[in-house]
Amino acid sequence: MKKEKCPKCIPQPPPVPEQAKHGGEAPGPQPGTLWLSPNSMRLWTAPMLAALERGNEGRKWHTLIDKVWSPRTLRLALETVAAKAGAPGLDGQTTEAVAKRADEEIAVIERLLRESRYEPRAVRRVWIDKPGGKEKRPLGIPTVRDRIVRTAMLAILEPIFERDFAENSYGFRPGRSARQAVDQVRQWLDEGELWVVDADLKGYFDSIPQDQLLAKVREKVADGRVLELLEKFLRQGVMESCKGWQPTESGTPQGAVISPLLANIYLDPLDHLMSKKADARWCATRTTSSSCVAAKPKPRRLWPRCAPGWSKPD
């Protein structure tokens, strides 16, 4: 029989600033409201949230690695990964097996992170059918241990960047969804906008320049050990049947829970730049690496020449 936890023993989230919201509390985001994912809400302390709310006075965030290796963070990450299940990675370890020895696994991960000896395993790559077509797309399956560490990193890093993301960016964000992006476009059409342009970035997650992405992360994070760990994940490589190990010299980690956050970080300057255009309205979904522009006159030049790291698409 499964042993139920006593309600008093379940960790409770700390008090948070009035404007901080739990992802999923309301049907849509409100301008100026900070939304947090469930894991971030439980792990971020009141002083950290207060610093986040006031913008940390323009300074970068230091000493974050101890929040990542905290047993409480790792346990929550392990429970999150186990709940999602999924196939095993290269080491063959299943989520069920890891969950059964949770205390041992958490202790090992904590020690490796503390000693700066954590080394991600290559991602197991398989090919699956694309919906609605005959083409196939690659799917990356990390090891369960790597999933735990990435989930822990996401819970600590996400609020730092979430605070300043563009208001009309909806993809992969707490309390936001592609449905809300569609509703926003419909509202603009009701207000008299006549043209809607849907743009899709082919192979976006696989083509992000890693050096530029890391530079964007460094603008807010100064903890060298967190940056080093993130770089290891970016360059861990993939293992494919009959092809062996292949380096990942561009893009974000395949199948990684942290990849959508990294994708949003890289495109955030473009979102802000397009949001300032006077002759069009910009709505980014990122669920399929796509964005939408709504405008009254027919758009003549949608792609901004000064967007960092971007050139006009073919």
Side-chain angles (χ1 to χ4, degrees):
M1 180 181 294
K2 184 178 179 181
K3 185 178 180 181
E4 298 292 337
K5 290 185 178 180
C6 170
K8 293 183 179 179
C9 300
I10 300 176
Q12 299 298 313
V16 297
E18 188 173 329
Q19 286 190 321
K21 302 292 184 183
H22 190 293
E25 272 186 0
Q30 300 297 320
T33 299
L34 173 65
W35 291 71
L36 299 178
S37 64
N39 284 4
S40 295
M41 177 68 82
R42 293 178 65 179
L43 294 172
W44 271 62
T45 64
M48 290 174 66
L49 286 166
L52 184 67
E53 191 70 14
R54 64 175 180 266
N56 203 28
E57 300 179 357
R59 297 191 297 269
K60 297 182 180 181
W61 288 82
H62 300 261
T63 321
L64 293 171
I65 189 65
D66 60 318
K67 282 80 175 175
V68 176
W69 75 45
S70 164
R72 182 167 180 253
T73 304
L74 294 176
R75 184 170 298 279
L76 182 58
L78 188 151
E79 292 172 354
T80 302
V81 170
K84 293 180 179 179
L90 281 178
D91 59 2
Q93 294 293 311
T94 64
T95 53
E96 293 84 356
V98 172
K100 288 180 180 178
R101 49 180 174 80
D103 291 342
E104 177 186 347
E105 184 69 18
I106 290 170
V108 170
I109 296 175
E110 180 188 3
R111 185 183 75 251
L112 292 174
L113 290 174
R114 280 180 176 273
E115 298 173 357
S116 298
R117 293 194 299 113
Y118 189 90
E119 295 293 337
R121 296 286 298 272
V123 173
R124 181 165 70 92
R125 174 183 283 175
V126 296
W127 292 83
I128 61 175
D129 294 329
K130 271 190 173 182
K134 296 182 179 179
E135 296 183 5
K136 292 183 178 291
R137 68 177 182 87
L139 175 67
I141 306 177
T143 64
V144 176
R145 180 174 291 179
D146 284 347
R147 285 180 238 172
I148 293 170
V149 176
R150 288 168 172 171
T151 302
M153 291 181 66
L154 176 65
I156 301 304
L157 292 177
E158 184 179 57
I160 296 173
F161 296 93
E162 175 65 29
R163 178 187 180 275
D164 298 319
F165 279 154
E167 189 62 40
N168 286 332
S169 174
Y170 290 89
F172 302 112
R173 297 183 59 190
R176 294 170 180 257
S177 68
R179 171 56 58 187
Q180 292 169 4
V182 172
D183 292 342
Q184 178 65 80
V185 173
R186 284 176 175 169
Q187 179 182 331
W188 290 340
L189 291 174
D190 291 341
E191 293 173 359
E193 307 294 2
L194 302 178
W195 289 85
V196 174
V197 179
D198 183 21
D200 182 50
L201 305 178
K202 184 177 181 180
Y204 171 56
F205 283 83
D206 296 329
S207 61
I208 297 176
Q210 294 178 353
D211 290 341
Q212 294 182 35
L213 173 60
L214 287 169
K216 293 299 299 178
V217 176
R218 290 190 188 99
E219 290 180 6
K220 293 181 179 292
V221 176
D223 189 321
R225 297 176 70 177
V226 168
L227 294 169
E228 180 184 12
L229 184 60
L230 178 58
E231 186 172 0
K232 286 181 178 180
F233 276 121
L234 288 174
R235 295 170 181 168
Q236 68 190 116
V238 297
M239 187 76 74
E240 188 174 350
S241 177
C242 302
K243 292 186 178 180
W245 181 84
Q246 302 172 59
T248 47
E249 298 175 348
S250 64
T252 58
Q254 286 189 344
V257 68
I258 200 171
S259 288
L261 171 64
L262 299 177
N264 278 337
I265 290 172
Y266 183 68
L267 269 190
D268 186 55
L270 177 65
D271 292 339
H272 280 284
L273 183 62
M274 290 298 290
S275 296
K276 294 178 182 178
K277 293 180 68 66
D279 58 346
R281 297 186 182 184
W282 178 257
C283 187
T285 61
R286 211 86 74 236
T287 50
T288 54
S289 307
S290 65
S291 298
C292 177
V293 178
K296 286 184 178 178
K298 182 178 180 180
R300 290 174 295 176
R301 181 176 63 83
L302 296 176
W303 210 257
R305 295 171 184 166
C306 52
W310 289 88
S311 58
K312 184 177 179 181
D314 297 330

